[in-house]
């Protein structure tokens, strides 16, 4: 390729979209160090901070989702979509990408629509087992569709699908610490069983309530230790509750974990939501997990993600509405069952799809050459 490679990557809204997008960009850069990569995101969403922190330029569109509860507010939404389409066209004209990549999220809609209309080849990456609305709409215009699950021809033209898996944060795979070293670095006991609870950067209310309702059980099992990421949104309330109820000594509480590689290495068992990126991480590191799918997502796709693992005996599942009662008792029962932990570890590893970012980057580069 004589001309310098230029790629637009669009999407975001959650870490589940942003982590794969940055991983794809890093893989492209590793193959073409002089490549120009421009991100297009949604104004006010987390990609506007996370992408620059990863070393890439980003442009923001005023795009947002429809308000299903207040239809009158959608007049403003329609204006924002129209404005975003115009802005996306201007960005594309100025940057002149050879290929456009969509990772899902609001911004990928207008960006890839305009790119396709201007004759630029498009690739979309669908992280979930149940395709998102934006990607379903974009599928007809895309040359390639990279997926992480089987049976995605339900949503996309079969001839366009490539099963690549979801790119994950490289830092998780690069952790060289042993379990004992990871535990010591967190001032925890290497000989004790360890349960890690994570609900994303903002937290998960149900997982947090499950802990608060079972503090007495946690105290009783003093040979099990808990690492609890509450999320920044809930941290003040939880601090007050623990002050009132008493914090068990075997409960390590933090609002946010910066080094997830070390936390995963320390854990014998993880409790987590069922976002696609998280599941891909658990598969690659072979981590036994209890999944509590969020009910507050489009088309209940987290439950579908979870069941894809549960059906293969690769994860355990607790319904969100039943978690406050059942989650902690199930976790305590599971963490002592070494045979079950080993089975979960073995089965989830079988579902790992390594080198996803490299495979997707190769497809992006092929499309750029074709252009």
């Amino acid at each position: 390729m004589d001309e310098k490679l230029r790629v637009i990557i669009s999407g975001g809204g959650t870490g589940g979209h942003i982590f794969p997008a940055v991983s794809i960009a890093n893989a492209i850069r590793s193959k073409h160090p002089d490549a120009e990569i421009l991100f297009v995101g949604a104004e006010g969403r987390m990609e506007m901070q996370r992408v620059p922190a990863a070393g890439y330029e980003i442009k923001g569109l005023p795009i947002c989702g429809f308000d299903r509860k207040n239809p009158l507010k959608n007049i403003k939404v329609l204006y924002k979509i129209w404005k975003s389409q115009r802005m996306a066209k201007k960005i594309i004209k100025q940057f002149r990408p050879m290929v456009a990549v969509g990772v899902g999220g609001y911004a990928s809609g207008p960006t890839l629509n305009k790119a396709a209309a201007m004759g630029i080849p498009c690739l979309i990456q669908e992280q979930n087992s149940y395709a998102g609305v934006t990607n379903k709409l974009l599928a007809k215009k895309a040359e390639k569709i990279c997926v992480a699950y089987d049976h995605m021809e339900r949503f996309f033209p079969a001839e366009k699908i490539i099963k690549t898996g979801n790119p994950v944060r490289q830092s998780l795979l690069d952790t060289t610490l042993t379990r004992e070293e990871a535990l010591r670095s967190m001032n925890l006991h290497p000989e004790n069983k360890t349960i890690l609870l994570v609900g994303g950067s903002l937290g998960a209310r149900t997982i947090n309530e499950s802990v608060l309702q079972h503090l007495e059980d946690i105290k009783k099992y003093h040979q099990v230790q808990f690492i609890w990421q509450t999320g920044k949104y809930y941290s003040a309330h939880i601090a007050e509750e623990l002050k009132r109820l008493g914090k068990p000594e075997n409960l390590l509480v933090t609002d946010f974990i910066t080094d997830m590689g070390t936390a995963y290495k320390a854990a014998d068992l993880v409790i987590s939501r069922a976002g696609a990126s998280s599941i891909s991480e658990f598969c690659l590191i072979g981590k036994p997990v209890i999944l509590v799918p969020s009910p507050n997502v489009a088309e209940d796709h987290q439950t579908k993600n979870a069941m894809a693992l549960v059906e293969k005996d690769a994860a355990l599942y607790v319904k969100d509405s039943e978690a406050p009662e059942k989650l902690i008792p199930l976790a305590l029962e599971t963490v002592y069952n070494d045979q079950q932990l080993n089975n979960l570890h073995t089965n989830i590893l079988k579902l790992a799809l390594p080198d996803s970012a490299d495979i997707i980057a190769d497809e992006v580069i092929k499309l750029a050459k074709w252009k």
Side-chain angles (χ1 to χ4, degrees):
M1 193 184 298
D2 296 330
E3 201 176 345
K4 188 183 289 187
L5 178 63
R6 293 185 306 280
V7 181
I8 271 184
I9 301 177
S10 186
T14 67
H17 293 312
I18 297 164
F19 295 141
V22 170
S23 295
I24 292 166
N26 290 342
I28 293 169
R29 276 269 170 89
S30 72
K31 298 168 189 292
H32 285 265
D34 61 346
E36 293 181 15
I37 299 173
L38 177 66
F39 280 75
V40 179
E43 290 175 356
R45 307 289 287 190
M46 67 167 68
E47 59 263 29
M48 301 308 293
Q49 285 77 45
R50 296 283 179 90
V51 168
Y56 295 97
E57 182 185 357
I58 187 167
K59 304 277 188 184
L61 303 179
I63 189 84
C64 63
F66 284 102
D67 192 326
R68 290 182 171 86
K69 293 180 181 177
N70 300 291
L72 285 176
K73 290 186 178 180
N74 289 328
I75 296 169
K76 193 174 181 180
V77 174
L78 287 169
Y79 170 72
K80 288 184 173 183
I81 291 171
W82 173 80
K83 187 177 179 182
S84 295
Q85 296 270 12
R86 291 193 56 157
M87 289 174 66
K89 185 175 182 179
K90 185 178 178 182
I91 290 166
I92 292 164
K93 275 187 171 181
Q94 290 175 343
F95 186 68
R96 297 182 303 114
M98 297 169 176
V99 59
V101 178
V103 295
Y106 299 135
S108 62
T111 306
L112 268 73
N113 266 321
K114 285 299 174 187
M118 295 163 74
I120 295 157
C122 297
L123 176 148
I124 59 176
Q125 198 251 332
E126 174 56 61
Q127 293 100 12
N128 293 294
S129 62
Y130 195 93
V133 174
T134 302
N135 277 347
K136 281 192 276 190
L137 292 172
L138 292 171
K140 291 177 184 175
K141 301 174 181 181
E143 271 70 40
K144 297 290 181 183
I145 302 168
C146 297
V147 303
Y149 292 88
D150 294 325
H151 312 303
M152 296 303 286
E153 61 276 3
R154 292 175 295 161
F155 310 108
F156 305 129
E159 68 277 7
K160 296 182 179 182
I161 294 172
I162 306 169
K163 189 178 177 186
T164 60
N166 289 324
V168 303
R169 293 171 282 185
Q170 192 61 38
S171 59
L172 300 181
L173 307 178
D174 290 342
T175 302
T176 57
L177 295 176
T178 64
R179 175 183 176 275
E180 288 72 22
E181 288 168 341
L183 286 165
R184 290 188 193 281
S185 74
M186 302 177 82
N187 294 317
L188 295 170
H189 299 290
E191 67 277 8
N192 286 6
K193 293 282 190 177
T194 306
I195 298 172
L196 169 66
L197 303 105
V198 288
S201 56
L202 295 178
R205 183 180 61 81
T206 305
I207 292 176
N208 291 340
E209 286 300 317
S210 302
V211 178
L212 290 173
Q213 289 190 31
H214 288 273
L215 290 175
E216 288 304 316
D217 289 329
I218 289 169
K219 285 177 188 173
K220 282 181 202 169
Y221 286 83
H222 54 85
Q223 289 186 318
V224 178
Q225 53 203 356
F226 293 76
I227 305 166
W228 181 18
Q229 180 184 277
T230 63
K232 295 185 178 180
Y233 183 80
Y234 299 100
S235 60
H237 165 69
I238 286 168
E240 288 176 12
E241 286 296 287
L242 290 175
K243 191 174 180 181
R244 182 175 70 85
L245 299 168
K247 186 181 84 67
E249 289 184 7
N250 56 333
L251 186 63
L252 172 63
V253 185
T254 178
D255 63 343
F256 184 72
I257 297 171
T258 305
D259 186 353
M260 283 305 303
T262 296
Y264 282 151
K265 185 69 78 170
D268 297 289
L269 176 68
V270 178
I271 293 169
S272 171
R273 288 303 200 189
S277 285
S278 296
I279 285 178
S280 293
E281 291 172 357
F282 301 141
C283 291
L284 282 166
I285 61 178
K287 191 58 62 175
V289 62
I290 301 175
L291 297 169
V292 187
S294 171
N296 307 312
V297 294
E299 282 117 355
D300 196 25
H301 68 249
Q302 285 204 5
T303 297
K304 296 175 176 74
N305 291 346
M307 296 315 295
L309 271 68
V310 172
E311 288 163 5
K312 294 183 169 80
D313 196 23
L316 301 179
Y317 157 74
V318 174
K319 193 175 179 180
D320 185 84
S321 60
E322 298 175 352
E325 177 190 351
K326 297 182 178 179
L327 180 58
I328 298 302
L330 176 63
L332 288 166
E333 177 188 326
T334 304
V335 81
Y336 275 115
N337 188 334
D338 289 336
Q339 183 174 348
Q340 187 177 24
L341 289 177
N342 188 56
N343 287 343
L344 290 170
H345 162 75
T346 301
N347 292 336
I348 201 168
L349 266 181
K350 290 175 186 174
L351 305 180
L353 292 168
D355 306 318
S356 299
D358 277 334
I359 296 166
I360 296 169
D362 286 338
E363 293 299 325
V364 172
I365 293 163
K366 281 183 204 171
L367 287 177
K369 288 180 177 177
W370 170 70
K371 166 66 176 171

